[in-house]
């Protein structure tokens, strides 16, 4: 195929195009998590890792290193140093290897992957790529045209036709490609003649998902896992009647939520703790010692009681995952609905189910409102929604399994976040040395007269920022005109490090609040920070300002030095609520300023020296993103019965740690009272 493949042209509007794994058809990508593959008794997390390992049949240690990676991107990157030592016929066999990898992905994940393939109907399947027009196609012209060989997309279309013509038989009798030395860990890769039982897979191998040690231990087993004929392991499914999960296991019911939950509306419990909701981890007790919003206390008499085990959901944000079981008796905002589970409903199971992407799309369908972003899911609508109902013991087992896996995933995320903190510290040390001492280590120094700075090169000038910078204050835009999709992009403090905004201002543009790409913006509430804006023309909201140098300073140099000054101010600022920075505080700051040529040299030096650190941070953040995608897919498959965990038994490492589970969330995902609206039901 590779010798005859030629460039082809596709129209995005007429094709199924995939690029990111979190998109609707992202599961077609080799980078997609949640599609593990078993080869010779070894669990390989992604088809990308399997494909890369096949490059090195003569290097089992390299294969082991690749397969032990959790992230498919990391598996790919770890293989790169060895590319020159790939099998000598790699270019001739790689398409055959990829075809086999895709068939293995289908065989091991039949329900999810075959359904995804069939949803592409008859349309061309195209992998969009920025630089690879062999496996994918590149965007040209106005963005609707893609040109490339698109070998991966064509292999997926070939596999789709096999599924259509052969049905389940397309996943049977998966013979390895007819090429010499097709080995994994020194052993010939064997023919797969059936699908592994989900019970055996989950019970024996789930402990190996999150580390290399147990994966290697599996390899040490003398015999591969027993192969069970497909007809004896076929799980009994039935049609559900629901478009978002067409088939469910026999024995599962579909009932309306009103059969599973009652409505609780109770106020007048002022002594109970305040609860808040994270979009990813659910409901938790608010840390009152670090409270940042005084209005919580003033509105407490309106808050609703949620009993431990009740589910609380935010009427306007449930479609994003703002739902979860109350960990203790507590109070939630009037913008929430509180529902009490009946005996047949495990609230933790339904919390997982309600936060799946498919269910959240259903929430949108049942929500009502004038503006889409302000739609509310009222109790009367929620109780009409259909939900899956596994037998109660199976619900309990699913919760135990997912909480154990969540603990593993949370530890992984925490370790990666700790690594990012160390990398940021390393980056700041590089910047600090450059902006306080310059690049010439032999230059004479003088006292700067600046408390947070110390000595600086003797020839540097110290200036007030107010005389060297134009300070543009943000504008108090009317929140009633905020819109999710229509209007001018509005930059709020939460958007400081983003390349896009969460909301638009659906009103006239305020010229004095306009910022553009490259502007240096400062967040003036909370922990004071500064960043270059990368999101194009936008409006700057209140409690932010923009700094535009007009003499002596370059924006690039100012962007390096101002975070150090802001940190000093932040550390000195004491507040029981939100810390506030005024434009006057900024105007009074003083900076050491080298000549413009030296500023440019310092910026170039910092860019070069921090590039490897920035790359490492980006890779680590991508690994966190991928493990989150894996988690989302795992949860969706388990709570809908596509993966059977009834036979799972916890291993010695499967100990649930509630403190560790907090790492699954993110402070930016906490829904605040400011976002709740009035919420009366």
């Amino acid at each position: 195929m590779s010798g005859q493949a030629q460039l082809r042209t596709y129209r995005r509007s007429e094709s199924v195009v995939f690029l990111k794994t979190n998109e609707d058809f992202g599961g077609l990508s080799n980078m997609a998590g949640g599609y593990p593959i078993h080869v010779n008794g070894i669990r390989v997390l992604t088809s990308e890792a399997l494909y890369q390992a096949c490059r090195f049949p003569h290097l089992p240690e390299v294969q082991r290193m690749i397969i032990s990676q959790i992230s498919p991107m990391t598996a790919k990157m770890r293989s790169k140093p060895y590319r020159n030592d790939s099998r000598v016929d790699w270019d001739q066999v790689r398409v055959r290897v990829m075809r086999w990898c895709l068939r293995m992905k289908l065989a091991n994940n039949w329900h999810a992957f075959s359904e995804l393939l069939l949803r592409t109907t008859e349309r061309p399947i195209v992998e969009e790529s920025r630089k690879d027009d062999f496996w994918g196609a590149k965007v040209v012209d106005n963005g609707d045209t893609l040109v490339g060989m698109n070998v991966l997309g064509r292999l997926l279309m070939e596999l789709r036709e096999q599924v259509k013509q052969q049905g389940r038989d397309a996943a049977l009798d998966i013979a390895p490609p007819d090429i010499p030395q097709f080995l994994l860990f020194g052993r010939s890769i064997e023919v797969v003649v059936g699908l592994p039982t989900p019970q055996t897979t989950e019970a024996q191998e789930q402990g190996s998902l999150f580390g290399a040690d147990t994966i290697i231990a599996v390899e040490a087993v003398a015999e591969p896992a027993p192969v069970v004929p497909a007809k004896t392991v076929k799980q009994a499914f039935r049609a559900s009647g629901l478009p978002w999960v067409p088939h469910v296991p026999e024995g599962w019911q579909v009932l309306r939520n009103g059969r599973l939950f009652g409505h609780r509306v109770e106020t007048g419990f002022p002594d109970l703790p305040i609860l808040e909701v994270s979009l990813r981890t659910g409901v938790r007790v608010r840390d009152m010692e670090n409270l940042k919003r005084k209005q919580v206390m003033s509105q407490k008499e309106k808050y609703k009681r949620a009993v431990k085990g009740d589910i609380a959901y935010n009427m306007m944000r449930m479609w994003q995952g703002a739902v979860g079981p109350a960990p203790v008796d507590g109070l939630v905002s009037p913008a929430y609905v509180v529902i009490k589970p009946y005996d047949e409903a495990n609230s933790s199971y339904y919390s997982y189910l309600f936060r799946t992407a498919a269910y959240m799309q259903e929430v949108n369908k049942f929500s009502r409102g004038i503006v889409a972003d302000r739609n509310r899911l009222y109790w009367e609508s929620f109780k009409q929604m259909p939900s899956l109902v596994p037998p109660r013991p199976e619900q309990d087992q699913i919760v135990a399994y997912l909480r154990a896996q969540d603990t593993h995933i949370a530890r992984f995320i925490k370790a990666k976040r700790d690594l990012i903190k160390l990398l940021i510290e390393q980056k700041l040390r590089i910047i600090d040395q450059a902006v306080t001492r310059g690049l010439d280590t032999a230059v004479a120094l003088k006292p700067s007269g600046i408390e947070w700075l110390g000595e600086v090169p003797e020839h540097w000038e110290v200036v007030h920022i107010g005389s060297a910078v134009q300070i543009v204050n943000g504008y108090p835009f009317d929140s009633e005109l905020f819109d999710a999709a229509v209007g001018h992009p509005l930059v709020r403090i939460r958007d400081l490090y983003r390349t896009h905004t969460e909301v638009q201002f659906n009103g006239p543009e305020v010229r004095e609040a306009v910022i553009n790409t490259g502007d240096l913006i400062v967040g003036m509430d909370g922990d004071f920070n500064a960043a270059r804006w990368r999101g194009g023309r936008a409006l700057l909201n209140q409690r932010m300002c923009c700094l535009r140098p007009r003499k002596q300073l370059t924006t690039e140099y100012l962007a390096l030095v101002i975070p150090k000054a802001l940190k000093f101010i932040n550390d000195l600022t004491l507040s029981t609520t939100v810390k506030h920075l005024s434009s006057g505080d900024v105007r009074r700051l003083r900076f050491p300023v080298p000549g413009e040529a030296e500023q440019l040299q310092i910026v170039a030096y910092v860019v070069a020296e921090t590039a490897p650190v920035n790359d490492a941070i980006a890779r680590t953040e991508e690994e966190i993103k991928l493990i989150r995608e894996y988690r989302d897919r795992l949860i969706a498959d388990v709570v809908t019965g596509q993966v059977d965990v009834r036979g799972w038994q916890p291993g010695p490492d499967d100990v649930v740690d509630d403190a560790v589970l907090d790492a699954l969330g993110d402070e930016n995902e906490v829904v605040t009272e400011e976002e709740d609206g009035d919420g009366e039901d």
Side-chain angles (χ1 to χ4, degrees), residues 19 132 153 178 245 251 266 271 359 398-399 420 600 633 646 680:
L19 173 63
D132 182 1
D178 185 18
V245 53
E266 299 175 4
D271 296 330
Y359 199 93
I398 287 171
V399 170
I420 289 174
L600 296 176
R633 183 53 186 261
R646 288 174 298 177
E680 296 298 334

Side-chain angles (χ1 to χ4, degrees), residues 360-635:
M360 289 190 289
Q361 288 179 0
E362 293 300 301
V363 167
N364 265 334
K365 298 176 184 178
F366 281 80
S367 298
R368 297 185 282 115
I370 299 174
V371 181
D373 191 44
R374 293 286 180 176
N375 280 353
R376 289 171 168 83
L377 180 66
Y378 294 98
W379 159 251
E380 293 301 322
S381 298
F382 172 82
K383 73 179 185 180
Q384 298 300 325
M385 293 184 64
S387 288
L388 305 181
V389 188
R392 178 57 193 259
E394 197 165 344
Q395 293 180 39
D396 299 341
Q397 175 77 342
I398 287 171
V399 170
Y401 169 80
L402 289 176
R403 283 176 58 79
Q405 303 314 311
D406 272 351
T407 300
H408 291 299
I409 294 171
R411 289 196 182 104
F412 173 88
I413 291 175
K414 182 179 184 303
K416 294 299 179 182
R417 284 180 178 161
D418 290 343
L419 174 59
I420 289 174
K421 289 179 182 178
L422 293 174
L423 291 168
I424 291 174
E425 290 176 6
Q426 180 182 348
K427 177 180 176 179
L428 292 178
R429 283 195 296 271
I430 294 171
I431 296 172
D432 185 68
Q433 177 67 26
V435 300
T436 59
R437 294 293 188 269
L439 305 182
D440 185 355
T441 57
V443 72
L445 302 177
K446 67 177 181 182
S448 67
I450 302 172
E451 187 176 358
W452 52 268
L453 190 57
E455 294 183 321
V456 297
E458 193 172 46
H459 63 285
W460 287 15
E461 181 182 358
V462 176
V463 301
H464 277 92
I465 194 172
S467 65
V469 171
Q470 177 191 6
I471 301 177
V472 180
N473 288 309
Y475 187 84
F477 291 98
D478 184 356
S479 62
E480 291 298 318
L481 296 178
F482 289 3
D483 195 287
V486 179
H488 309 284
L490 183 65
V491 180
R492 299 180 291 174
I493 289 178
R494 70 189 65 193
D495 303 316
L496 190 64
Y497 296 106
R498 295 176 177 166
T499 58
H500 64 282
T501 65
E502 284 188 337
V503 301
Q504 323 287 315
F505 177 65
N506 194 3
E509 182 179 85
V510 179
R511 180 170 297 182
E512 57 267 31
V514 171
I515 61 171
N516 222 317
T517 297
D519 275 337
L520 180 61
I521 55 177
V522 177
M524 303 169 72
D525 281 349
D527 293 331
F528 315 135
N529 289 299
R532 302 287 297 280
W533 174 243
R534 306 291 183 186
R537 188 179 180 89
L539 299 177
L540 194 64
N541 199 35
Q542 62 184 336
R543 305 310 308 149
M544 300 191 75
C545 70
C546 172
L547 306 182
R548 295 195 178 113
R550 52 192 170 196
K551 64 178 183 178
Q552 295 179 283
L553 281 169
T554 66
T555 303
E556 293 78 11
Y557 180 78
L558 182 59
L560 293 180
V561 71
I562 196 171
K564 184 175 177 67
L566 292 175
K567 184 179 186 305
F568 174 76
I569 296 175
N570 184 65
D571 291 344
L572 290 182
T573 304
L574 300 176
S575 176
T576 57
T577 56
V578 180
K579 299 178 182 180
H580 295 294
L581 182 70
S582 71
S583 55
D585 296 328
V586 176
R587 188 172 287 107
R588 287 189 292 271
L589 289 173
R590 293 189 298 157
F591 287 95
V593 181
E596 185 172 348
E598 190 173 354
Q599 289 180 43
L600 296 176
Q601 290 174 356
I602 289 172
V603 170
Y605 168 82
V606 169
V607 169
E609 291 297 310
T610 59
V613 182
N614 289 333
D615 288 345
I617 292 172
R619 287 196 302 271
T620 307
E621 289 173 340
E622 181 66 16
E623 289 176 357
I624 293 175
K625 175 186 172 184
L626 289 169
I627 197 64
R628 285 190 185 280
E629 291 178 6
Y630 168 82
R631 175 181 183 255
D632 291 344
R633 183 53 186 261
L634 178 67
I635 290 172

Side-chain angles (χ1 to χ4, degrees), residues 135-190:
W135 290 114
K138 297 179 182 178
V139 176
V140 298
D141 299 334
N142 61 358
D144 187 55
T145 303
L146 298 98
V147 177
M149 296 183 183
N150 190 36
V151 174
L152 179 60
R154 291 157 63 187
L155 288 174
L156 288 167
M157 287 185 273
E158 175 186 281
L159 189 60
R160 178 179 66 190
E161 291 307 307
Q162 291 178 340
V163 172
K164 288 180 178 179
Q165 295 175 16
Q166 302 175 26
R168 189 61 176 266
D169 289 346
L172 306 180
D173 193 17
I174 310 301
D178 185 18
I179 59 178
Q181 294 297 297
F182 196 54
L183 309 173
L184 181 64
F185 299 171
R187 288 173 46 199
S188 295
I189 292 177
E190 300 170 353

Side-chain angles (χ1 to χ4, degrees), residues 26-274:
L28 297 172
S29 171
N30 285 323
M31 294 291 178
Y35 295 93
I37 300 170
H38 294 79
V39 183
N40 286 9
I42 311 301
R43 184 183 178 92
V44 185
L45 293 182
T46 61
S47 52
E48 179 67 26
L50 180 59
Y51 172 77
Q52 296 296 342
C54 289
R55 286 176 174 270
F56 310 106
H58 55 300
L59 299 174
E61 290 306 315
V62 174
Q63 289 184 319
R64 184 174 288 110
M65 175 192 66
I66 292 170
I67 287 176
S68 69
Q69 305 304 311
I70 297 174
S71 159
M73 181 59 72
T74 305
K76 182 177 181 178
M77 297 303 293
R78 293 296 296 272
S79 74
K80 281 193 172 181
Y82 303 92
R83 293 287 176 85
N84 290 336
D85 201 15
S86 299
R87 56 183 300 152
V88 294
D89 59 350
W90 181 244
D91 286 344
Q92 288 73 48
V93 304
R94 59 178 175 163
V95 173
R96 280 179 279 170
V97 171
M98 182 65 79
R99 177 184 283 114
W100 173 79
C101 289
L102 294 176
R103 293 200 70 192
M104 290 294 288
K105 181 176 179 178
L106 175 66
N108 285 260
N109 305 274
W110 167 256
H111 290 289
F113 199 51
S114 65
E115 187 271 337
L116 185 62
L117 287 169
L118 293 176
R119 278 204 295 120
T120 65
T121 60
E122 301 295 331
R123 291 173 289 172
I125 300 175
V126 185
E127 181 184 38
E128 180 180 341
S129 177
R130 296 184 177 92
K131 57 184 179 180
D132 182 1
D133 60 2
F134 176 77
W135 290 114
K138 297 179 182 178
V139 176
V140 298
D141 299 334
N142 61 358
D144 187 55
T145 303
L146 298 98
V147 177
M149 296 183 183
N150 190 36
V151 174
L152 179 60
R154 291 157 63 187
L155 288 174
L156 288 167
M157 287 185 273
E158 175 186 281
L159 189 60
R160 178 179 66 190
E161 291 307 307
Q162 291 178 340
V163 172
K164 288 180 178 179
Q165 295 175 16
Q166 302 175 26
R168 189 61 176 266
D169 289 346
L172 306 180
D173 193 17
I174 310 301
D178 185 18
I179 59 178
Q181 294 297 297
F182 196 54
L183 309 173
L184 181 64
F185 299 171
R187 288 173 46 199
S188 295
I189 292 177
E190 300 170 353
V191 177
V192 176
V193 295
L195 301 178
T197 62
Q199 295 92 333
T200 302
T201 297
E202 300 301 329
Q204 294 182 347
E205 299 185 37
Q206 275 298 332
S208 69
L209 280 176
F210 302 101
D213 293 342
T214 46
I215 290 176
I216 294 172
V218 174
E219 186 264 339
V221 177
E223 296 295 331
V227 175
V228 182
K231 63 182 181 180
T232 66
V233 301
K234 183 176 180 179
Q235 188 173 357
F237 281 81
R238 68 175 183 84
S240 70
L242 302 176
W244 53 276
V245 53
H247 299 90
V248 295
E250 290 282 0
W252 288 34
Q253 294 179 282
V254 175
L255 298 175
R256 298 196 181 279
N257 286 333
R259 295 275 302 277
L260 302 169
F261 301 96
H263 192 196
R264 188 188 300 276
V265 184
E266 299 175 4
T267 58
F269 295 84
D271 296 330
L272 291 177
I274 296 289

